Protein backbone atom coordinates (compact mmCIF):
# COMPACT_ATOMS: atom_id res chain seq x y z
CA UNK A 1 0.00 0.00 0.00
CA UNK A 2 1.38 3.38 -1.02
CA UNK A 3 1.18 6.15 1.54
CA UNK A 4 3.70 8.57 0.03
CA UNK A 5 1.74 9.00 -3.25
CA UNK A 6 4.66 10.40 -5.23
CA UNK A 7 3.62 12.78 -8.02
CA UNK A 8 5.13 13.19 -11.47
CA UNK A 9 7.58 15.90 -10.39
CA UNK A 10 8.95 13.73 -7.60
CA UNK A 11 9.12 10.69 -9.90
CA UNK A 12 10.98 12.70 -12.55
CA UNK A 13 13.72 13.60 -10.08
CA UNK A 14 13.77 10.13 -8.51
CA UNK A 15 14.36 8.68 -11.96
CA UNK A 16 16.97 11.31 -12.86
CA UNK A 17 18.95 10.52 -9.69
CA UNK A 18 18.26 6.75 -9.58
CA UNK A 19 16.36 7.02 -6.29
CA UNK A 20 12.96 5.58 -7.25
CA UNK A 21 13.76 2.23 -5.59
CA UNK A 22 14.83 3.80 -2.29
CA UNK A 23 11.87 6.20 -2.36
CA UNK A 24 9.50 3.24 -2.79
CA UNK A 25 11.26 1.28 -0.05
CA UNK A 26 11.06 4.24 2.34
CA UNK A 27 7.35 4.41 1.59
CA UNK A 28 7.03 0.71 2.45
CA UNK A 29 9.04 0.68 5.67
CA UNK A 30 8.85 4.17 7.22
CA UNK A 31 5.55 5.74 6.20
CA UNK A 32 2.44 5.04 8.24
CA UNK A 33 -1.09 6.40 8.60
CA UNK A 34 -1.03 6.36 12.40
CA UNK A 35 1.04 7.76 15.24
CA UNK A 36 2.91 5.20 17.30
CA UNK A 37 4.13 5.50 20.88
CA UNK A 38 7.55 6.91 19.91
CA UNK A 39 5.81 9.50 17.72
CA UNK A 40 3.49 10.47 20.57
CA UNK A 41 6.42 10.92 22.95
CA UNK A 42 8.34 13.14 20.51
CA UNK A 43 5.26 15.27 19.76
CA UNK A 44 4.13 15.70 23.36
CA UNK A 45 7.55 16.75 24.64
CA UNK A 46 7.94 19.26 21.80
CA UNK A 47 7.80 22.96 22.60
CA UNK A 48 7.64 23.93 18.92
CA UNK A 49 6.88 22.72 15.42
CA UNK A 50 6.74 24.16 11.91
CA UNK A 51 3.36 24.32 10.19
CA UNK A 52 3.07 24.33 6.38
CA UNK A 53 -0.21 25.45 4.81
CA UNK A 54 -1.38 26.74 1.44
CA UNK A 55 -4.14 29.16 0.55
CA UNK A 56 -6.85 28.59 -2.06
CA UNK A 57 -4.51 29.93 -4.75
CA UNK A 58 -1.81 27.41 -3.80
CA UNK A 59 0.46 30.07 -2.28
CA UNK A 60 2.44 28.29 0.47
CA UNK A 61 3.09 29.59 3.95
CA UNK A 62 5.29 28.14 6.68
CA UNK A 63 4.89 29.16 10.30
CA UNK A 64 6.61 28.48 13.62
CA UNK A 65 4.23 27.34 16.36
CA UNK A 66 5.48 27.28 19.93
CA UNK A 67 4.28 26.68 23.45
CA UNK A 68 5.15 24.77 26.60
CA UNK A 69 5.97 21.06 26.18
CA UNK A 70 2.70 19.20 25.83
CA UNK A 71 0.91 22.01 23.99
CA UNK A 72 0.44 19.62 21.06
CA UNK A 73 -1.63 16.64 22.16
CA UNK A 74 -1.94 13.26 20.55
CA UNK A 75 -5.64 12.45 21.00
CA UNK A 76 -5.47 9.08 19.26
CA UNK A 77 -3.19 7.30 16.78
CA UNK A 78 -4.96 9.20 14.00
CA UNK A 79 -5.64 12.61 15.56
CA UNK A 80 -3.69 15.36 17.25
CA UNK A 81 -4.60 18.88 18.37
CA UNK A 82 -2.94 22.15 19.29
CA UNK A 83 -4.09 25.55 20.52
CA UNK A 84 -4.06 28.80 18.60
CA UNK A 85 -2.47 31.41 20.83
CA UNK A 86 -2.57 35.21 20.51
CA UNK A 87 -0.64 36.30 17.44
CA UNK A 88 -0.39 39.28 15.13
CA UNK A 89 -3.96 38.98 13.83
CA UNK A 90 -3.05 38.10 10.24
CA UNK A 91 -4.23 34.48 10.64
CA UNK A 92 -2.01 33.40 7.77
CA UNK A 93 -1.87 29.75 8.83
CA UNK A 94 -5.35 29.32 10.26
CA UNK A 95 -6.91 31.36 7.47
CA UNK A 96 -5.21 29.07 4.97
CA UNK A 97 -6.56 26.06 6.86
CA UNK A 98 -10.10 27.42 6.59
CA UNK A 99 -9.65 27.69 2.82
CA UNK A 100 -7.55 24.53 2.34
CA UNK A 101 -7.64 22.10 5.26
CA UNK A 102 -4.44 20.24 4.32
CA UNK A 103 -1.42 20.82 6.53
CA UNK A 104 2.10 19.53 7.07
CA UNK A 105 3.73 19.57 10.49
CA UNK A 106 7.45 19.18 11.11
CA UNK A 107 8.57 18.29 14.63
CA UNK A 108 12.26 18.48 15.49
CA UNK A 109 13.96 17.04 18.52
CA UNK A 110 17.17 19.08 18.65
CA UNK A 111 18.60 16.99 21.49
CA UNK A 112 18.56 13.55 19.79
CA UNK A 113 18.48 14.85 16.92
CA UNK A 114 15.42 13.55 15.05
CA UNK A 115 12.63 14.84 12.84
CA UNK A 116 9.05 13.74 12.31
CA UNK A 117 6.65 14.83 9.59
CA UNK A 118 2.91 14.56 10.10
CA UNK A 119 0.57 15.43 7.23
CA UNK A 120 -3.20 15.50 7.33
CA UNK A 121 -6.45 17.38 7.16
CA UNK A 122 -7.42 19.95 9.79
CA UNK A 123 -10.45 21.45 11.44
CA UNK A 124 -10.23 24.84 13.19
CA UNK A 125 -12.77 25.75 15.86
CA UNK A 126 -13.36 28.32 18.57
CA UNK A 127 -16.03 26.01 20.02
CA UNK A 128 -13.93 22.86 20.43
CA UNK A 129 -14.40 21.07 23.76
CA UNK A 130 -10.62 21.19 24.31
CA UNK A 131 -10.50 25.00 24.13
CA UNK A 132 -10.67 25.58 27.89
CA UNK A 133 -7.93 23.02 28.58
CA UNK A 134 -5.17 25.25 27.20
CA UNK A 135 -4.35 28.46 29.04
CA UNK A 136 -4.55 31.39 26.61
CA UNK A 137 -5.98 29.46 23.67
CA UNK A 138 -8.30 31.28 21.27
CA UNK A 139 -9.07 28.36 18.94
CA UNK A 140 -8.22 24.69 18.60
CA UNK A 141 -6.81 22.99 15.53
CA UNK A 142 -7.39 19.25 15.15
CA UNK A 143 -5.49 17.28 12.54
CA UNK A 144 -6.65 13.94 11.13
CA UNK A 145 -3.46 12.07 10.32
CA UNK A 146 -2.93 10.89 6.75
CA UNK A 147 0.85 10.44 6.65
CA UNK A 148 3.49 10.02 9.34
CA UNK A 149 7.14 9.57 8.53
CA UNK A 150 10.48 10.17 10.19
CA UNK A 151 12.97 12.33 8.37
CA UNK A 152 16.72 11.84 8.20
CA UNK A 153 18.27 14.04 10.92
CA UNK A 154 21.83 14.15 9.55
CA UNK A 155 21.83 17.89 8.77
CA UNK A 156 20.25 18.97 12.04
CA UNK A 157 22.60 20.93 14.29
CA UNK A 158 22.71 20.00 17.95
CA UNK A 159 20.98 22.80 19.82
CA UNK A 160 20.26 23.48 23.43
CA UNK A 161 17.23 25.15 24.97
CA UNK A 162 18.28 28.00 27.20
CA UNK A 163 14.85 28.94 28.49
CA UNK A 164 11.19 28.76 27.58
CA UNK A 165 9.66 31.74 25.84
CA UNK A 166 8.11 34.06 28.42
CA UNK A 167 5.24 34.56 25.95
CA UNK A 168 4.19 30.88 26.00
CA UNK A 169 0.97 30.59 28.00
CA UNK A 170 0.91 28.36 31.07
CA UNK A 171 -1.28 27.93 34.11
CA UNK A 172 -0.29 30.53 36.71
CA UNK A 173 1.83 32.50 34.24
CA UNK A 174 0.83 35.82 32.70
CA UNK A 175 2.81 36.38 29.50
CA UNK A 176 4.21 39.89 29.04
CA UNK A 177 2.72 42.23 26.47
CA UNK A 178 4.57 41.93 23.13
CA UNK A 179 6.41 45.15 22.28
CA UNK A 180 5.01 45.31 18.75
CA UNK A 181 1.54 46.00 20.19
CA UNK A 182 2.86 49.36 21.43
CA UNK A 183 4.41 50.33 18.10
CA UNK A 184 2.89 53.73 17.24
CA UNK A 185 2.43 52.65 13.62
CA UNK A 186 0.18 49.78 14.70
CA UNK A 187 -1.54 50.82 17.94
CA UNK A 188 -4.66 52.34 16.41
CA UNK A 189 -5.30 49.20 14.31
CA UNK A 190 -5.16 46.72 17.20
CA UNK A 191 -8.26 44.76 18.20
CA UNK A 192 -10.11 46.48 21.06
CA UNK A 193 -8.91 43.89 23.60
CA UNK A 194 -5.26 44.89 22.91
CA UNK A 195 -5.61 48.67 22.97
CA UNK A 196 -4.31 50.72 25.84
CA UNK A 197 -6.00 53.95 26.91
Amino acid sequence: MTIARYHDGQRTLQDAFDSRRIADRLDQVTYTRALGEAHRQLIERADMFFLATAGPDGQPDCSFKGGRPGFVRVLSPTQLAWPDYDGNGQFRSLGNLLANARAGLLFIDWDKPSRLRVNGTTRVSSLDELLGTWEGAQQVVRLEVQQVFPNCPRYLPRMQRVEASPYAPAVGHSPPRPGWKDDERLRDALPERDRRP
Side-chain angles (χ1 to χ4, degrees):
M1 171 174 57
T2 297
I3 296 174
R5 297 184 298 235
Y6 298 119
H7 58 67
D8 290 344
Q10 293 163 331
R11 287 301 196 189
T12 296
L13 291 170
Q14 290 167 7
D15 291 342
F17 290 90
D18 190 30
S19 69
R20 184 183 280 245
R21 288 181 312 282
I22 191 62
D24 288 343
R25 184 66 51 84
L26 287 166
D27 177 30
Q28 292 169 3
V29 302
T30 65
Y31 281 68
T32 180
R33 294 187 193 281
L35 297 164
E37 180 59 23
H39 302 140
R40 184 192 64 75
Q41 289 178 15
L42 186 150
I43 290 168
E44 290 190 345
R45 73 174 174 262
D47 57 1
M48 52 80 61
F49 69 94
F50 296 96
L51 174 63
T53 63
D57 59 356
Q59 181 65 36
D61 194 71
C62 186
S63 174
F64 171 90
K65 298 296 177 187
R68 306 286 175 161
F71 84 107
V72 180
R73 297 181 190 161
V74 175
L75 305 177
S76 76
T78 58
Q79 188 178 85
L80 54 80
W82 69 91
D84 172 48
Y85 293 134
D86 178 51
N88 61 19
Q90 293 183 68
F91 291 101
R92 296 179 60 87
S93 298
L94 269 58
N96 279 351
L97 293 177
L98 291 179
N100 175 354
R102 292 182 176 173
L105 284 62
L106 174 61
F107 293 91
I108 300 176
D109 183 337
W110 302 101
D111 298 327
K112 294 264 188 268
S114 61
R115 297 188 291 180
L116 180 69
R117 293 182 187 216
V118 180
N119 296 329
T121 304
T122 61
R123 187 177 68 237
V124 180
S125 175
S126 58
L127 302 173
D128 192 288
E129 63 190 25
L130 292 174
L131 186 63
T133 67
W134 278 288
E135 189 75 23
Q138 300 181 115
Q139 299 181 89
V140 172
V141 182
R142 288 185 186 241
L143 181 129
E144 294 295 328
V145 174
Q146 293 173 337
Q147 291 180 332
V148 179
F149 56 105
N151 226 175
C152 176
R154 69 179 146 169
Y155 297 114
L156 285 178
R158 295 289 304 255
M159 298 179 73
Q160 182 179 29
R161 284 174 188 80
V162 177
E163 63 185 350
S165 168
Y167 298 98
V171 174
H173 170 70
S174 295
R177 180 178 173 85
W180 70 267
K181 289 186 178 183
D182 293 323
D183 184 320
E184 64 184 43
R185 299 168 301 164
L186 306 172
R187 278 190 300 220
D188 65 330
L190 289 171
E192 288 298 325
R193 69 178 181 277
D194 288 326
R195 292 187 185 189
R196 287 188 162 162

